Structures are given as structure tokens and as C-alpha cells.
């Protein structure tokens, strides 16, 4: 501490943080209690001190943002907000029409977990709305604080930095809002404004940098990737005795699989990759991954930056042009599936070169379940008899995408697939699943250790619901279809005294159950 | 025309102009701001008709609010229902030969006025009493509820409080308001104080409307998470403000392209030779 520079920069002030090292989640009781706002207006932010590391100047520069907070940042922020208001209907309408009814106030896992009133979705949105009112509305100019209008100053900016990084953009609040106000849209806009004035978050921006430089979030080049896949093939053959391949950059393959790069090395992610490979192998589908598109994820969405998101997505288009596949399939990843399903067609479409008989893109669960139903692959449920399984709906999949042709296919298709892979399946409390699912607590760019305190707190509702079925039904496996969920749960479960092996992928179950070898 | 009639007449037209101009201006703004990406909150309807049904549920039964908070739903629903009835019943001051449906509805106005006021009081109590609601409430939120209570209260008083002496003024009120609305034969403004207060509060509400959260009444229809059809794979959605798209992105691809400029240079003369 002694050798700290005396002069604090703006960045230092705004991002100042206490990082707690060793922390545990609250005791698991199976109940999700709504915290009380302690002293009304008096308490503003018992979690204000938890702030992520700021992005370094070189990263900011490489993404086209100012290196550090610019001198005229207030002006620059208002200007950027004005531009966004003209570009995003969501932002314009949502900033105007919230009636502060309060329906969303007890819906966010970060409020439930932290008890910090600024984590109520409407309060989070007000952090930006009050600036909007001050600079853009007659009501705010006339009534000032009565209308909730406030001048943009360093205090507001540091609140933004704290609380817009305590939102995983999970959209849970929007389900319960009479107008569908989606606080994720507001937090994306706020992050975009912060980046535009030179205040970025390290984890997200560094990851986007690697994605744009090398092609995946890990910064793994094509040689390293190829070597990893090869050694994995050897492992599978050793274990199962079948030459299951993990092909890379095979031009002319029928299926191009784009999957989160965590699938290449992280645990339990690799198990799902092996699962996909076995499915393709057994169904006899020619497939490949691509070193150009070695990442399904795209953190450009987290910072609300259209340009970067589109730039990052363009790798997929390049890979399609190179491989010339007939089908485009996406692996298990929540935000990636949202971008793929909802945005790719807009960002990099149309996919005219692909076979129109298949949806483009297609989710791996859609593909696998279809094969199971057509009898092209067989699953032996007994292989998973050691597990009693439950399913965590990843919020990005649940509230921002679909699978299949009917609304709600994103709920039924993974469940059908799980039930086809195991004998014992249990649902968690319906108030915590499907469209009402809770986030794992680490989505939306929060998967970084310096804000562990927020992540552990944000996981509380899901952990309570999981605990309840572990106690009542002996659940010992929570199936996931999101790389971030997998990474976060394996880390956070132990902090609640739950073994990390309880978290795993849907295709991990499929991979264990699939019958390899000659078909009858 | 007396000076007072002129003042209140102008008050009416200015308020109405601000309301209509402001409201339509806001709607124009919402309608013309682009929605760059598909962001329906799923599970969402996969057809336009389905979106229509989603809206009927949201507008007529406040479905999402019902999922979110039952107490609020009761208060909010009764308030809006009361408001709707009261508004329709007010047509009797404007439409001179009162129609039979209207007469039927007017029979309820006893209840609707009280329901309206009671619901407003209930919503006010929720704001004060529930810790989370108190935390997020702004002064303006309370003031708006008080304004509405003022309107409902003065309205009810005119009907049920003989001290208000409004009975005798009814024909005059009809002549005045009816005239204002039809721009025709505007009667002298009734001098009943209760009426003038009631009337003025309504004008304040009209003026405040387009500048405030009351725009939820129009804005709800422009909420992209609710009004979009969930069909991004089936139908390509485009971003109006994106004119050029990036082509190659990875530096690796750019390097490869830079390392092989020969092919491009060769291809050109060949094709010209052919042509
Ligand atoms: C399309 C028509 C409308 C719809 C669908 C609608 C819907 C809603 C909903 C769902 C709420 C939240 C629940 C609540 O807090 O009560 C609300 C609140 C409110 N609405 Fe409306 N509304 C409409 C029109 C109006 C109009 C014309 C007014 C005019 C006065 C109005 C005044 C209010 C007020 C004052 C609140 C806030 C109540 C409070 O403070 O708790 N609404 N509206
Ligand atoms: S539910 Fe919607 S309208 Fe109500 S306070 Fe929350 S964001 Fe505002
Ligand atoms: S999007 Fe999710 S994390 Fe963000 S405020 Fe809403 S409920 Fe909370
Ligand atoms: S990590 Fe999983 S649970 Fe969290 S936001 Fe992403 S998809 Fe949702």
C-alpha cells in the first residue's frame, strides 16, 4: 500500500474496489427470501465497493475506444447516450415508460443475493434514466430531483461502473415487467457509453480483443487447437475403443460446428464436446470445426457494441465461405446461442449457401434430439444410472432464443434429450425454471474473479433451488447448456458446500449414454 | 363571452394541443426509432397474429404484472378499469343525445368512481408501505397519484356532496364542455368552484401526460421485447443504420489476403482478355 502513487487518476477513483479473497455463500436452506431494504433512502449500496478491474489502455485502444477516461467525459457520455437513443428503440422506449410500479424489484438474483437496493432492476435502470431525464427530457429539466433527474458526475459514473457490472443481462426482470422493460438493454447501453468515454471492463474487453486477434476467447491459435483436438481423439479412442474424430478445417464437410472455445480444454466443457463428436460419429454425419470460427461466444453483446459484435461474428461468415458446409450448428453456450439464433442472420446473413432444409443456425440439442427420434443414434439410459439429473435453463437460451419450431422449444428440447439419456430426472421449483429461470450469477461479462463476491451472491437463488432437490430427490447432476454456466457453477458450488462435479453438460450425459459401434 | 369563459376555454384548447401534439410526437419518435436487432423476450409468438394475442393479454389483463406481483395487479387493474369506465361515462357530457349503451354504463359510475379512488389510495399505500416500492418511488410518482386522486375526489364530490351545489350546473357544464369539444356554441363557463377545480386538474393531467411515465399508455406498443415476432432464423431482420458490413475480420485472414495479391492481379487481365 505504501508505494501507491499519491495522485489518483479518474479511472482509479471510479473503479476503486475492495476485493474479498476467501468467501462463502450463505447457508443453503432451499428457500429464496426477499431481502428488506434496510433504511429506505439511507442505504445506497452495500455492494458499491465491488467493482471489476478496468481495461488497460492498450486493450481499449485496440477496440477503438479511448485509452482512458477522456477529459470532457461528461460531454462525451451525454453525446453517446444521445446517439444510442436514436439507434435503439428499446433504449428510448424503456427509459421513458417505466412507471416504477415495483413488479421487477424482487426478481433479480443480484438483489436477492446482495440485498443492495441498487440491484433491483428498476433501480439499476434509474442510474441511467436519471441522467437521461436531466439532459433529454422536459420533465427532468423542469422538476429536477422530484422527477429523479440528476447531473452526471463522478459519483454517478462510479455507480454505473459498479452496478452495470452487477447485471448479467439475463432478462429475468423483463418477464415480470408489464411493458417488458429489459434492463439488459439498459445495462448494455450503459457499458457502451462507459467504453466510449474510455472506461472499460478488463475481462470483457480483453476477451473481445483475443477473439478479434486470434479467433477465440482463449487466444488459442490454429496449431495449438489442432494439437489439442488430436490428443483428445487419442484419449477417446483409448477409453471407448472407437475412432471418434474431432475434425478441424475440413473443407466440404456437411456440418460446420461452432462451439465455445471452453469446450476445447475446460472441465466439464470438454465432456460435451466429446458428446457432440460421438453423436456425429455414430450418426455418420461429416462434420468439422473451424479454426476461423473456433469460438461461438461473442462478448461484443455484453458491452452493447454493435460494431464489435458484428466484426466478431464475421469470422463465422468467413469460415462458411472457406468450409462451404451445408449446415451450421452451434454447441452448448447460452449467450452464444442468443447471438447465433437471434442476431447472426442480421449480422452476417443471409445463409443462402446452406441447405434450406435445416434451420440456420441449428442448436446441437435440436440436431441430437432429432437423430434420437429418428433412431439414427441410440441412447442407453442405464449408463447414467449413477445420476439423478436436474436441468438449469440458461437464461440467455430461455429468454432470448428458441429451439425447434414452437415457442418454448428451448425448454422442451433439452429436457427431452436429457430424459432420453438418463432414467432419473427431477425438475427444480417451477418459480426458478423455464422463462423464470435464475442466472448462474456470472453471465454477461461477470465471469471474473475480482467480483467473486457478487457472483457468489448472484448464484444464491439457483443454489437454493438446487439444494432443495438435492435434499428431496437426491439430485447429484445439474445439466447445463452454457459454457459460462459451466465455468461459474464449477467454481461457485464449492463455496456453497456443493461438489463441483454436480455441474455438467447435457451432451456429457448424451456422450455417456450413446451406443457406439455397428448399428443393428 | 365572459373573460372567465375565455380563460378556461383557452386553458382547455392549449392543454389539449399540448397533449395531442406531445403524445403524437412521442409516438412518432417511438415508431421511427429503429430496432437494430431481434430481441423478443422468449418464449414469444412466432407469428404476427400471436403477437397480437400477446398484446391483448398484456393490455386487457396485465398478464406480466400478474406474474410479477399480485397485490400490484389488483391495485393497478382496478385503477385502470375504473379509469376506463369513468372516461366512457364522461362521454355523456359531450354526446348530447345520450345513447342507451352509455346510459347503461352510466348506471355504474357510482361504483367506478369509488373503485378508481380506492385503487389509487391502495397504490399510494403500496408505495409508502412496501420497502422496495418506497425505495424506488420518486416524488413525481406520489404527486401523480395525488393528482389523480384529486381528479377522482373532486369528481365524486360533485356527485355526492350536496354542498358542492353542482346539480344545478349540469346543463351549463354540458353546454360548456360540449361546445368546447365540438368548437360550436360554447356556453359560458359554469361558475361552480368544484367543477372548475375538477376541470383544471384534468387539464394539468393532459399537459403532464406526454412528458411523463404516462406515456406507457402508448409506449407499451413499441416495446421490442414484446412486439417482435420470434422468427429470426426464418426471416432475416436487418439493421437500418448498418450500411456496410465488415468482410474479413481476423488479422490472420487479412495477412493471408495481403500475402496473396498476385492471384487477384492475375485474374483481372485474363477476364478482360476473354471479354
Ligand atoms: C394502453 C393503455 C394502458 C395500459 C395497458 C396501462 C397499463 C398499466 C400498467 C400495467 C401499470 C402498472 C401497474 C400499476 O402500477 O398500476 C400502469 C400504471 C399506471 N398507469 Fe397505466 N395503462 C394504460 C393507460 C393509462 C392511462 C391512460 C393513464 C392515465 C392517467 C394511466 C395511468 C397510470 C398510472 C398513474 C400508473 C402508475 C400507478 C402507480 O403509481 O402505482 N395508464 N399502467
Ligand atoms: S416492472 Fe417495469 S415498469 Fe415496473 S418498475 Fe420494473 S421496469 Fe419499471
Ligand atoms: S437483466 Fe437480469 S441481472 Fe440485469 S437487472 Fe434484470 S434481472 Fe437483474
Ligand atoms: S451464464 Fe448461463 S445462467 Fe448466466 S447469463 Fe449466461 S446463460 Fe444465463
Amino acid at each position: 500500500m505504501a508505494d501507491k502513487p499519491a495522485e489518483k487518476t479518474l479511472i482509479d477513483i471510479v473503479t476503486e474496489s475492495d476485493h474479498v479473497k476467501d468467501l462463502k455463500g450463505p447457508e443453503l436452506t432451499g428457500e429464496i427470501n426477499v431481502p428488506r431494504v434496510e433504511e429506505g433512502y439511507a442505504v445506497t449500496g452495500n455492494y458499491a465497493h465491488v467493482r471489476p478491474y478496468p481495461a488497460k489502455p492498450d486493450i481499449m485502444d485496440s477496440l477503438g475506444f479511448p485509452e482512458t477516461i477522456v477529459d470532457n467525459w461528461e460531454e462525451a457520455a451525454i453525446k453517446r447516450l444521445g446517439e444510442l437513443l436514436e439507434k435503439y428503440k428499446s433504449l428510448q422506449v424503456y427509459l421513458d415508460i417505466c412507471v416504477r410500479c415495483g413488479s421487477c424489484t424482487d426478481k433479480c438474483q443480484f438483489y436477492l443475493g446482495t440485498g443492495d437496493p441498487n440491484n433491483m432492476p428498476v433501480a439499476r435502470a434509474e442510474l441511467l434514466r436519471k441522467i437521461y431525464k436531466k439532459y433529454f427530457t422536459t420533465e427532468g429539466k423542469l422538476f429536477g430531483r422530484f422527477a429523479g433527474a440528476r447531473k452526471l458526475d463522478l459519483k454517478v459514473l462510479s455507480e454505473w461502473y459498479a452496478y452495470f457490472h452487477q447485471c448479467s443481462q439475463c432478462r429475468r426482470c423483463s418477464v415480470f415487467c408489464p411493458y417488458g422493460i429489459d434492463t439488459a438493454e439498459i445495462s448494455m447501453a450503459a457499458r457502451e457509453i462507459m467504453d466510449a468515454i474510455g472506461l472499460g471492463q478488463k475481462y470483457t474487453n480483453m476477451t473481445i480483443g483475443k477473439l478479434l486477434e486470434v479467433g477465440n476467447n482463449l487466444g488459442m491459435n490454429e496449431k495449438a487447437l489442432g494439437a489439442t483436438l488430436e490428443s483428445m481423439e487419442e484419449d477417446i479412442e483409448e477409453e471407448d475403443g472407437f475412432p471418434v474424430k474431432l475434425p478441424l478445417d475440413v473443407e466440404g464437410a456437411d456440418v460446420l460446428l461452432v462451439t465455445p472455445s471452453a469446450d476445447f480444454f475446460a472441465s466439464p466443457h470438454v465432456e460435451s464436446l466429446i458428446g457432440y463428436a460421438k453423436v456425429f460419429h455414430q450418426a455418420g454425419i461429416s462434420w468439422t470445426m473451424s479454426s476461423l470460427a473456433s469460438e461461438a461466444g461473442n462478448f461484443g453483446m455484453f458491452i452493447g457494441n454493435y460494431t464489435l459484435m458484428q466484426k466478431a461474428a464475421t469470422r463465422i461468415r468467413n469460415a462458411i465461405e472457406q468450409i462451404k458446409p451445408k449446415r451450421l450448428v452451434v454447441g452448448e453456450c447460452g449467450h452464444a446461442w442468443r447471438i447465433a439464433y437471434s442476431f447472426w442472420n442480421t449480422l452476417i446473413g443471409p445463409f443462402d449457401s446452406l441447405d434450406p432444409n435445416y434451420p440456420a443456425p441449428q442448436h446441437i440439442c435440436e440436431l441430437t434430439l432429432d437423430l434420437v427420434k429418428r433412431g439414427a443414434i441410440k441412447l442407453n439410459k442405464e449408463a447414467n444410472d449413477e445420476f439423478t439429473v436436474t436441468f438449469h435453463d440458461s437464461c440467455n437460451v430461455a429468454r432470448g432464443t428458441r429451439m425447434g419450431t414452437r415457442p418454448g422449444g428451448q425448454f422442451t428440447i433439452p429436457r427431452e434429450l436429457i430424459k432420453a439419456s438418463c432414467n432419473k430426472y427431477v425438475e427444480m421449483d417451477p418459480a426458478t425454471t423455464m422463462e423464470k429461470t435464475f442466472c448462474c450469477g456470472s453471465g454477461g461479462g461477470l465471469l471474473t474473479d475480482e467480483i467473486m463476491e457478487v457472483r457468489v451472491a448472484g448464484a444464491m437463488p439457483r443454489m437454493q433451488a438446487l439444494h432443495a432437490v438435492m435434499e428431496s430427490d437426491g439430485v447429484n447432476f445439474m445439466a447445463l447448456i452454457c459454457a459460462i454456466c459451466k465455468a461459474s457453477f464449477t467454481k461457485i458450488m464449492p463455496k456453497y458446500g456443493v461438489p463441483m462435479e454436480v455441474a455438467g453438460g447435457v451432451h456429457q450425459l448424451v456422450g455417456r449414454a450413446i451406443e457406439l459401434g455397428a448399428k443393428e | 363571452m365572459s373573460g372567465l369563459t375565455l380563460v378556461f376555454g383557452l386553458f382547455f384548447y392549449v392543454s389539449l394541443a399540448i397533449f395531442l401534439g406531445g403524445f403524437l410526437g412521442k409516438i412518432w419518435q417511438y415508431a421511427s426509432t429503429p430496432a437494430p436487432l431481434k430481441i423478443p423476450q422468449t418464449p414469444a409468438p412466432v407469428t404476427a397474429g400471436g403477437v397480437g394475442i400477446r398484446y391483448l393479454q398484456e393490455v386487457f389483463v396485465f398478464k406480466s404484472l400478474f406474474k410479477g406481483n399480485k397485490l400490484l395487479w389488483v391495485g393497478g387493474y382496478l385503477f385502470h378499469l375504473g379509469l376506463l369506465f369513468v372516461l366512457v361515462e364522461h362521454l355523456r357530457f359531450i354526446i348530447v343525445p345520450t345513447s342507451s349503451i352509455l346510459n347503461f354504463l352510466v348506471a355504474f359510475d357510482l361504483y367506478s368512481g369509488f373503485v378508481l379512488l380506492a385503487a389509487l389510495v391502495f397504490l399510494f399505500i403500496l408505495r409508502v408501505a412496501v420497502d422496495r416500492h418506497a425505495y424506488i418511488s420518486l416524488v413525481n410518482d406520489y404527486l401523480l397519484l395525488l393528482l389523480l386522486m384529486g381528479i377522482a375526489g373532486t369528481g365524486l364530490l360533485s356527485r355526492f356532496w350536496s354542498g358542492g351545489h353542482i346539480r344545478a350546473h349540469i346543463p351549463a357544464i354540458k353546454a360548456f364542455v360540449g361546445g368546447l369539444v365540438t368548437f360550436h356554441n360554447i356556453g359560458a363557463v359554469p361558475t361552480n368552484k368544484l367543477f372548475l377545480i375538477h376541470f383544471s386538474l384534468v387539464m394539468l393531467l393532459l399537459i403532464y401526460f406526454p412528458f411523463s411515465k404516462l406515456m406507457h399508455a402508448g409506449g407499451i406498443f413499441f416495446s421490442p421485447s414484446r412486439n417482435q415476432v420470434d422468427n429470426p432464423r426464418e426471416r432475416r431482420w436487418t439493421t437500418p443504420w448498418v450500411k456496410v458490413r465488415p468482410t474479413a475480420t481476423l488479422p490472420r485472414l487479412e495477412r493471408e489476403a495481403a500475402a496473396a495479391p498476385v492471384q487477384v492481379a492475375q485474374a483481372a487481365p485474363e477476364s478482360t482478355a476473354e471479354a
Side-chain angles (χ1 to χ4, degrees):
Chain A
M1 288 286 135
D3 50 20
K4 260 207 159 173
E7 197 74 32
K8 278 191 181 171
T9 63
L10 282 182
I11 287 259
D12 293 338
I13 298 169
V14 173
T15 66
E16 196 164 30
S17 185
D18 288 339
H19 301 299
V20 183
K21 295 248 156 46
D22 190 33
L23 83 172
K24 280 206 174 75
E27 202 194 325
L28 291 179
T29 57
E31 268 172 50
I32 302 166
N33 296 318
V34 179
R36 270 192 68 81
V37 178
E38 289 301 336
E39 284 144 28
Y41 288 91
V43 189
T44 35
N46 46 330
Y47 269 63
H49 63 286
V50 191
R51 300 196 171 100
Y53 296 137
K56 295 253 156 50
D58 56 325
I59 302 171
M60 293 297 282
D61 186 53
S62 75
L63 298 183
F65 300 130
E67 290 190 353
T68 185
I69 299 184
V70 295
D71 289 335
N72 64 337
W73 63 270
E74 296 97 327
E75 224 177 286
I78 300 307
K79 180 164 166 279
R80 190 75 193 121
L81 174 56
E83 290 164 2
L84 293 178
L85 284 166
E86 283 175 15
K87 283 181 159 182
Y88 288 87
K89 194 195 296 273
S90 54
L91 188 66
Q92 175 64 57
V93 173
Y94 296 160
L95 286 180
D96 266 352
I97 68 172
C98 168
V99 295
R100 281 167 299 284
C101 67
S103 179
C104 61
T105 52
D106 53 354
K107 303 304 185 290
C108 176
Q109 53 277 338
F110 295 101
Y111 175 63
L112 295 174
T114 63
D116 185 327
N118 284 322
N119 277 327
M120 296 191 272
V122 42
R124 192 187 317 285
E126 283 294 318
L127 295 175
L128 183 61
R129 190 175 286 120
K130 61 192 180 184
I131 302 305
Y132 165 71
K133 285 205 175 137
K134 171 90 189 170
Y135 297 89
F136 294 90
T137 72
T138 315
E139 190 195 18
K141 284 177 187 145
L142 283 179
F143 293 96
R145 282 203 175 218
F146 280 11
R150 259 196 73 175
K151 196 173 158 301
L152 179 57
D153 57 20
L154 266 187
K155 183 164 181 295
V156 172
L157 187 63
S158 50
E159 282 172 350
W160 280 9
Y161 195 68
Y163 295 108
F164 287 120
H165 291 109
Q166 296 186 18
C167 167
S168 61
Q169 307 176 339
C170 74
R171 313 186 96 195
R172 189 169 197 269
C173 42
S174 97
V175 173
F176 302 97
C177 172
Y179 323 117
I181 293 177
D182 181 2
T183 312
E185 289 290 307
I186 291 170
S187 101
M188 286 171 195
R191 292 189 195 174
E192 161 78 355
I193 295 168
M194 286 190 276
D195 273 318
I197 62 170
L199 175 61
Q201 186 228 26
K202 182 177 168 186
Y203 168 67
T204 308
N205 286 8
M206 226 168 68
T207 309
I208 300 173
K210 276 188 265 178
L211 181 60
L212 290 175
E213 180 63 32
V214 190
N216 55 55
N217 290 353
L218 300 171
M220 197 185 222
N221 68 26
E222 66 262 40
K223 281 209 192 81
L225 178 57
T228 309
L229 294 176
E230 256 173 52
S231 78
M232 222 186 287
E233 283 175 351
E234 286 163 20
D235 292 348
I236 305 175
E237 181 145 18
E238 216 164 275
E239 201 163 301
D240 296 310
F242 291 96
V244 174
K245 294 286 172 238
L246 294 164
L248 185 66
D249 291 331
V250 178
E251 289 185 22
D254 282 349
V255 168
L256 168 62
L257 176 82
V258 183
T259 204
S261 57
D263 284 1
F264 303 134
F265 84 108
S267 179
H269 307 62
V270 273
E271 303 298 332
S272 282
L273 177 63
I274 294 171
Y276 322 145
K278 289 182 179 173
V279 169
F280 288 123
H281 171 87
Q282 189 59 17
I285 296 173
S286 94
W287 71 292
T288 187
M289 291 175 279
S290 156
S291 60
L292 288 177
S294 52
E295 176 64 68
N298 185 339
F299 285 13
M301 179 172 84
F302 298 162
I303 59 168
N305 190 293
Y306 190 101
T307 312
L308 288 173
M309 182 163 74
Q310 186 168 40
K311 216 172 156 192
T314 302
R315 296 163 307 118
I316 316 294
R317 174 144 212 100
N318 297 152
I320 295 173
E321 282 158 6
Q322 188 199 28
I323 309 273
K324 303 189 182 61
K326 296 202 180 76
R327 302 165 66 179
L328 179 60
V329 176
V330 179
E332 295 177 354
C333 184
H335 84 281
W337 178 237
R338 179 166 184 210
I339 295 166
Y341 171 85
S342 294
F343 304 163
W344 272 0
N345 205 357
T346 304
L347 298 173
I348 56 170
F351 298 113
D352 289 338
S353 65
L354 302 178
D355 183 345
N357 292 317
Y358 298 95
Q362 189 177 28
H363 195 277
I364 186 74
C365 288
E366 292 179 301
L367 177 139
T368 307
L369 185 65
D370 180 52
L371 293 171
V372 173
K373 284 188 167 167
R374 289 197 282 114
I377 56 172
K378 288 234 162 0
L379 301 177
N380 169 23
K381 296 185 185 186
E382 276 73 45
N384 285 314
D385 268 354
E386 66 193 83
F387 296 131
T388 303
V389 183
T390 190
F391 179 61
H392 163 78
D393 291 276
S394 294
C395 36
N396 268 295
V397 176
R399 290 184 282 259
T401 73
R402 169 165 56 95
M403 292 180 201
T405 51
R406 277 191 293 271
Q410 69 271 37
F411 309 135
T412 52
I413 288 177
R415 281 176 172 76
E416 273 186 63
L417 188 55
I418 294 169
K419 288 181 198 163
S421 317
C422 69
N423 278 315
K424 289 174 282 181
Y425 177 78
V426 177
E427 282 289 347
M428 286 183 275
D429 179 353
T432 73
T433 59
M434 307 215 192
E435 70 167 358
K436 295 180 184 163
T437 189
F438 281 104
C439 176
C440 61
S442 302
L446 270 53
L447 189 71
T448 176
D449 285 354
E450 73 270 20
I451 52 170
M452 187 54 87
E453 211 177 333
V454 166
R455 294 168 52 198
V456 171
M460 184 277 284
R462 171 50 73 230
M463 290 308 299
Q464 297 290 11
L466 173 63
H467 176 80
V469 287
M470 289 176 81
E471 291 292 299
S472 63
D473 299 272
V475 165
N476 59 358
F477 192 99
M478 181 163 73
L480 307 165
I481 44 170
C482 169
I484 295 178
C485 296
K486 290 173 194 168
S488 75
F489 278 124
T490 42
K491 190 132 192 182
I492 281 166
M493 280 174 169
K495 299 193 188 290
Y496 280 89
V498 173
M500 61 184 255
E501 291 74 24
V502 172
V506 168
H507 275 77
Q508 182 174 343
L509 295 173
V510 173
R512 289 168 56 100
I514 192 165
E515 294 180 354
L516 297 176
K519 298 179 207 176
E520 302 113 58
Chain B
M1 195 180 280
S2 75
L4 202 61
T5 306
L6 195 68
V7 169
F8 276 89
L10 273 180
F11 189 23
F12 175 82
Y13 285 123
V14 169
S15 311
L16 197 68
I18 293 177
F19 169 71
L20 286 177
F23 187 84
L24 293 176
K26 268 284 166 194
I27 295 298
W28 173 251
Q29 181 190 36
Y30 298 157
S32 57
T33 308
L37 292 164
K38 274 277 182 167
I39 58 165
Q41 177 242 309
T42 60
V46 294
T47 60
V51 169
I53 294 172
R54 186 178 207 174
Y55 265 95
L56 289 178
Q57 293 172 326
E58 292 298 346
V59 172
F60 290 107
V61 285
F62 297 2
K63 188 179 173 195
S64 298
L65 183 63
F66 187 77
K67 275 187 229 169
N69 190 322
K70 302 285 186 281
L71 276 182
L72 250 177
W73 182 85
V74 171
Y77 200 71
L78 289 179
F79 158 60
H80 286 84
L81 206 62
L83 185 70
L84 183 70
F85 270 76
V86 169
L87 279 178
V88 173
E89 287 151 12
H90 272 66
L91 290 178
R92 72 178 185 272
F93 297 111
I94 300 164
I95 303 169
V96 181
T98 43
S99 75
S100 56
I101 304 176
L102 205 56
N103 273 328
F104 174 73
L105 284 174
V106 169
F108 287 100
D109 81 338
L110 224 156
Y111 308 107
S112 41
F114 278 111
V115 167
L116 177 63
L117 187 61
L120 282 165
V121 172
F122 181 66
L123 288 173
F124 195 94
I125 292 174
L126 276 187
R127 278 201 191 278
V128 181
V130 180
D131 56 332
R132 286 171 284 112
H133 297 217
Y135 180 79
I136 58 163
S137 294
L138 302 170
V139 177
N140 274 14
D141 297 331
Y142 293 114
L143 289 181
L144 179 58
L145 286 177
L146 288 174
L147 175 62
L148 287 163
M149 283 185 218
I151 295 172
T154 48
L156 282 171
L157 278 181
S158 356
R159 287 209 42 151
F160 297 104
W161 182 47
S162 52
H165 302 295
I166 217 156
R167 288 273 135 154
H169 294 272
I170 294 284
I173 291 172
K174 283 194 171 179
F176 176 66
V177 180
L180 286 174
V181 179
T182 53
F183 302 95
H184 195 71
N185 282 339
I186 302 173
V189 65
T191 48
N192 179 279
K193 289 205 188 63
L194 203 51
F195 168 75
L196 291 182
I197 296 173
H198 185 66
F199 182 83
S200 305
L201 291 179
V202 174
M203 293 307 116
L204 284 182
L205 182 70
L206 283 184
I207 296 172
Y208 183 55
F209 200 106
F211 305 105
S212 69
K213 67 176 189 178
L214 289 172
M215 279 310 298
H216 69 278
I220 182 172
F221 300 100
F222 296 91
S223 168
S225 66
R226 291 286 158 77
N227 73 9
Q228 290 187 343
V229 181
D230 176 23
N231 60 357
R233 291 194 289 194
E234 293 80 3
R235 261 176 167 232
R236 180 154 185 263
W237 181 264
T238 52
T239 309
W241 40 264
V242 172
K243 300 286 182 251
V244 265
R245 295 200 304 195
T247 46
T249 45
L250 290 188
R252 192 178 119 205
L253 285 177
E254 280 158 18
R255 278 196 300 273
E256 278 168 15
V262 200
Q263 291 175 349
V264 186
Q266 273 176 352
E270 259 176 42
S271 56
T272 23
E274 257 176 12

